[in-house]
Amino acid sequence: DTAWGRCRRVALFAVWAVVLGAMMAGTIARNQVWQDVIGLWTDVIVKSPMEPRGWNNRGKEYVTMGLSDETRRDEYLEKGMQDYKIAVGRAQHFVEVLNNLGNLYVELGQRQPALAYLTKAIELRKGMPIFCYNRAVAFEQFNDLESAIADYTHAITINDEFAGAYFNRGVVLGQIGETRRAIDDFSRVIALQSDNSAAYLNRGDAHMQLGQLNLALRDFDEVIRLDPDMEQAYYNRAGTYSQLGEAQQALQDYNRAIEIGDLDLAYYNRGNIYMNREDYVRAIEDFSKAIEKNPLNTGALNNRALCYMGVNDVDKAFADFDRAIKSDPKSAIVYVCRGNADRKSTRLNSSHW
């Protein structure tokens, strides 16, 4: 498993979990706005306590605050839950609050009530693709990928221009190894939203998996054109250049990925380029940076050990081999490399003797 492959899967599996009623995290100023909105809906509730909309809307504000404030997350989510349940008690067929309750239970990791509320919303509004989409997100969260695909497909059947559903279905198809179908879905997203950099990025990742490197390069080039500061695009393009044997271009892209995002795997892979060039000092620096960011990076530990052997620093080399084995006792390559290093060190000692 190559370093770019691990990072590729992170990109491919990242889901746009855009649920109904979600909002961006706020600043201190926005917190004041939220408090004002809470006050607004509280006033509505006081004046019309039997009207469910006030309870639902105040609940949404509490949930938004909880998702943006980790220190008070539980407090605000509990308040949101209480308001939603009062709203449901006022109107059992109020689909928006059913949907919001389901989404909140997804956030809390509670499968049964999440799916129950989201399913009720779908039953009440069969023609609303967003409810199918949200249940698909829930199925995905609970690792029921086949059900997630079915719900994304249902949402697309209702609205064949639902870009988010195509995107997420493509993500899930990638997870189950249906790479060509994933490419079809990302292509559909691009047809609907030609400036969707995430779709180009994931389609490029999928092309990489199939060994379609020139197609992958084309997609990563487009991502960088659309978003010149997306470090993942430079990182993935560097991996593609490496597979094509274009080490210098790969090096330039790793440099840019590090400049933008300080990615540990970019240091690791750039270190590999330096190691292959026998530039052991620079390679050691990069592997050290990768290890600093991820002390359990077995590959970086093993390769730094090899570089230490390259500069005849045997003690540091074997210290790294030992750390690599402790990090991953089942890594056969580390034992092979350490065995080779042991024979080399024996020869060095014999020559000195």
Side-chain angles (χ1 to χ4, degrees):
D1 188 283
T2 62
W4 66 261
R6 287 192 292 275
C7 202
R8 178 189 64 227
R9 284 200 292 272
V10 170
L12 189 61
F13 298 168
V15 179
W16 283 1
V18 182
V19 294
L20 196 65
M23 303 172 86
M24 297 296 290
T27 61
I28 293 174
R30 183 166 291 183
N31 282 333
Q32 182 59 51
V33 172
W34 281 333
Q35 292 296 344
D36 292 343
V37 174
I38 292 290
L40 169 67
W41 289 114
T42 299
D43 186 58
V44 170
I45 289 167
V46 169
K47 292 176 179 176
S48 303
M50 300 306 295
E51 167 58 45
R53 191 164 301 279
W55 295 100
N56 176 64
N57 289 351
R58 190 176 72 171
K60 283 198 296 187
E61 296 303 323
Y62 276 130
V63 170
T64 300
M65 292 166 68
L67 296 178
S68 68
D69 185 350
E70 188 63 32
T71 61
R72 303 183 67 181
R73 177 181 184 275
D74 293 345
E75 172 193 349
Y76 286 138
L77 294 188
E78 178 59 30
K79 287 183 176 181
M81 179 72 73
Q82 290 173 3
D83 279 359
Y84 285 157
K85 287 188 173 180
I86 292 172
V88 168
R90 300 286 190 269
Q92 295 182 7
H93 300 302
F94 185 7
V95 291
E96 183 181 351
V97 73
L98 292 170
N99 178 74
N100 290 343
L101 260 172
N103 289 335
L104 179 52
Y105 276 117
V106 173
E107 176 67 29
L108 296 173
Q110 298 183 35
R111 176 188 173 99
Q112 191 279 328
L115 294 178
Y117 281 114
L118 293 171
T119 299
K120 186 66 173 177
I122 292 171
E123 290 171 350
L124 291 171
R125 291 289 186 276
K126 291 183 170 61
M128 291 290 289
I130 187 63
F131 297 144
C132 298
Y133 174 92
N134 283 352
R135 192 174 68 174
V137 171
F139 278 128
E140 194 168 354
Q141 178 73 19
F142 298 123
N143 204 34
D144 186 346
L145 301 186
E146 292 295 341
S147 295
I149 290 171
D151 268 356
Y152 286 133
T153 301
H154 189 190
I156 290 166
T157 300
I158 298 170
N159 178 5
D160 65 359
E161 295 186 354
F162 194 162
Y166 284 110
F167 184 95
N168 280 15
R169 189 175 69 176
V171 166
V172 180
L173 288 169
Q175 287 182 274
I176 65 173
E178 294 281 354
T179 309
R180 295 185 187 279
R181 291 176 63 195
I183 289 173
D184 290 341
D185 275 353
F186 295 134
S187 296
R188 179 60 175 152
V189 176
I190 291 165
L192 293 167
Q193 300 174 342
S194 60
D195 61 347
N196 191 319
S197 59
Y200 281 108
L201 180 70
N202 283 347
R203 191 175 70 175
D205 295 335
H207 283 310
M208 286 181 72
Q209 291 187 44
L210 296 177
Q212 298 168 343
L213 301 183
N214 289 325
L215 292 176
L217 277 181
R218 188 182 305 169
D219 278 345
F220 296 143
D221 286 345
E222 185 63 15
V223 177
I224 291 167
R225 185 188 71 80
L226 292 167
D227 186 354
D229 293 326
M230 185 185 286
E231 67 270 19
Q232 190 69 46
Y234 290 99
Y235 179 87
N236 287 7
R237 191 172 69 175
T240 309
Y241 278 133
S242 290
Q243 291 193 68
L244 290 168
E246 301 287 349
Q248 187 57 40
Q249 289 174 292
L251 187 62
Q252 291 173 1
D253 274 353
Y254 285 133
N255 289 342
R256 182 65 177 143
I258 289 168
E259 178 184 341
I260 299 170
D262 206 34
L263 298 176
D264 62 317
L265 289 175
Y267 283 108
Y268 171 71
N269 284 352
R270 189 174 71 176
N272 287 333
I273 292 175
Y274 287 137
M275 183 174 70
N276 290 336
R277 293 179 173 182
E278 298 186 359
D279 188 346
Y280 297 125
V281 173
R282 285 186 177 179
I284 288 169
E285 289 176 357
D286 273 355
F287 292 138
S288 297
K289 191 69 175 180
I291 293 164
E292 176 186 324
K293 291 179 169 295
N294 178 10
L296 299 180
N297 188 329
T298 305
L301 288 164
N302 181 72
N303 289 0
R304 188 173 69 174
L306 294 174
C307 291
Y308 279 132
M309 290 300 299
V311 296
N312 295 325
D313 194 334
V314 175
D315 291 340
K316 287 183 178 179
F318 279 92
D320 272 354
F321 283 133
D322 289 342
R323 285 182 62 186
I325 289 171
K326 185 176 180 180
S327 171
D328 185 3
K330 296 182 180 180
S331 176
I333 189 65
V334 179
Y335 291 101
V336 170
C337 290
R338 189 175 68 169
N340 291 337
D342 189 49
R343 286 189 289 275
K344 179 180 178 181
S345 64
T346 300
R347 289 196 300 272
L348 287 172
N349 291 332
S350 296
S351 64
H352 288 313
W353 179 260

